[in-house]
Amino acid sequence: MTIGDALRKERENLDLTQKEMVEGTSISVSHYSKIENDIQDIKAKDLFELLDARKIDVNNFRKKIIDKKRNSLNELADQLTKAFYKPDIKLAKAVKEQLADFSDAEELQIRAELVVAVLTNNLKETKQELSAKLINYFERDATWMDDPDMLRIIGNSTRVIDFNFLATLMNKLLVKYQKIDQYPLDTQKRIGNIFVNYLHVLYDYRAKRMARKYINFLQNLPGIPELTLDKLMGDYYDAVFFKNEKELAQTLSVLKRVVPKIVSGLPEK
């Protein structure tokens, strides 16, 4: 919700005309009309003057704007997820365009770029640009390893980030989360998923020696149902990287029964 939208709702709740809304303030009716219609911005001092004149609580007014904005971003995030899994290129592009209006939604904006690039088979063409954005994003924030949104970005972009930079990020995660059972289940699942995606990248680069420690991590995850798939994927990549045909056949048989949709995208040799 913009400030203009919020002011309009406040005015309508007070049953006032635009002229009555600005009465007793230094704001003209024509200027206020443009503010309501998001044609012009309103200065902070003018906003406070207007809210004070109409006895509108500043904190409540601000909270309404923030809550509405948060809800809008949550809805867009849900739509982006639906667009990816349908798949729906048109919806993904529409969400990406809407997110451009939010100056503080960089995580979602990057996710939207990734989704659109994947759905339009344009990942290779946009890889360099996206990789530069992602590197800049991670280098700016030293707390990224504790931020679920930052971790989500990594999980979605392992095939986009520069390989050498990605290896540095993965190694830092491996060191931080070596005692993974001490973290909440959501964190365990998130880190497991990231390493599964990273192993696919390592396979593409034939980086067998780098894969061993991430395979071990997955295989040593706590033995609880929610982490079964990640543990299975650890067994799967163990068999793929180290040429264990019997283990590969057994693991693929289980994966095809449990998650048949993802098997088609996995290497089998």
Side-chain angles (χ1 to χ4, degrees):
M1 178 185 289
T2 65
I3 290 178
D5 291 331
L7 286 172
R8 180 186 294 107
K9 288 186 177 297
E10 293 290 348
R11 178 175 62 79
E12 291 172 349
N13 289 338
L14 294 169
D15 196 23
L16 300 174
T17 65
Q18 290 186 345
K19 181 178 180 180
E20 292 170 332
M21 184 70 170
V22 298
E23 188 174 311
T25 73
S26 58
I27 306 171
S28 68
V29 177
S30 61
H31 180 47
Y32 178 77
S33 178
K34 292 177 181 177
I35 293 169
E36 272 199 4
N37 289 288
D38 295 320
I39 298 173
Q40 290 185 357
D41 294 328
I42 183 171
K43 295 179 180 178
K45 68 179 184 65
D46 292 336
L47 177 60
F48 293 141
E49 179 187 13
L50 181 60
L51 296 177
D52 185 60
R54 300 285 76 85
K55 308 301 181 187
I56 298 170
D57 185 87
V58 174
N59 291 327
N60 286 339
F61 181 81
R62 181 174 177 274
K63 185 175 184 298
K64 288 178 183 178
I65 294 176
I66 293 174
D67 288 346
K68 182 66 176 179
K69 184 176 183 180
R70 185 181 295 113
N71 290 336
S72 296
L73 286 174
N74 288 339
E75 289 173 8
L76 288 172
D78 289 342
Q79 289 180 29
L80 189 61
T81 300
K82 291 176 183 177
F84 181 73
Y85 285 106
K86 275 191 174 180
D88 188 332
I89 296 173
K90 185 177 180 180
L91 176 59
K93 288 182 175 180
V95 172
K96 180 184 173 183
E97 290 179 4
Q98 291 179 66
L99 285 170
D101 295 331
F102 294 87
S103 60
D104 56 348
E106 188 177 9
E107 182 267 334
L108 268 179
Q109 290 167 350
I110 293 176
R111 281 178 59 198
E113 287 192 53
L114 286 166
V115 169
V116 171
V118 170
L119 294 184
T120 57
N121 295 315
N122 197 35
L123 197 56
K124 289 183 179 179
E125 288 74 9
T126 58
K127 181 174 181 177
Q128 185 173 354
E129 180 183 353
L130 275 173
S131 181
K133 287 184 179 180
L134 289 164
I135 289 173
N136 180 57
Y137 193 42
F138 289 119
E139 287 182 337
R140 284 203 320 266
D141 191 345
T143 65
W144 64 269
M145 287 188 289
D146 299 305
D147 187 329
D149 288 338
M150 298 286 266
L151 293 175
R152 189 179 297 112
I153 285 182
I154 288 188
N156 289 340
S157 56
T158 51
R159 299 191 192 186
V160 177
I161 302 176
D162 173 79
F163 179 74
N164 292 325
F165 185 75
L166 179 63
T168 300
L169 297 181
M170 293 298 103
N171 191 59
K172 288 181 178 180
L173 285 177
L174 192 64
V175 171
K176 177 176 177 60
Y177 291 105
Q178 56 183 294
K179 296 182 179 179
I180 191 65
D181 57 333
Q182 297 180 5
Y183 291 89
L185 178 58
D186 284 347
T187 301
Q188 295 182 42
K189 291 166 62 177
R190 189 173 292 115
I191 299 301
N193 290 338
I194 288 173
F195 288 160
V196 168
N197 291 343
Y198 183 49
L199 283 168
H200 200 126
V201 174
L202 293 179
Y203 177 83
D204 289 340
Y205 279 86
R206 299 297 187 267
K208 178 178 178 179
R209 284 185 294 179
M210 295 173 66
R212 180 75 272 169
K213 54 189 177 182
Y214 298 98
I215 290 171
N216 289 345
F217 179 93
L218 294 174
Q219 291 178 322
N220 290 320
L221 284 169
I224 55 179
E226 291 85 353
L227 299 175
T228 298
L229 179 57
D230 289 331
K231 290 174 72 68
L232 275 172
M233 292 304 296
D235 293 339
Y236 167 80
Y237 277 107
D238 187 13
V240 169
F241 274 105
F242 300 99
K243 309 297 183 182
N244 187 329
E245 294 184 6
K246 182 178 180 181
E247 181 185 352
L248 177 60
Q250 292 175 341
T251 307
L252 271 177
S253 176
V254 176
L255 288 172
K256 285 176 181 178
R257 291 199 304 270
V258 178
V259 284
K261 289 184 179 181
I262 73 168
V263 173
S264 60
L266 296 176
E268 293 190 24
K269 57 181 181 178

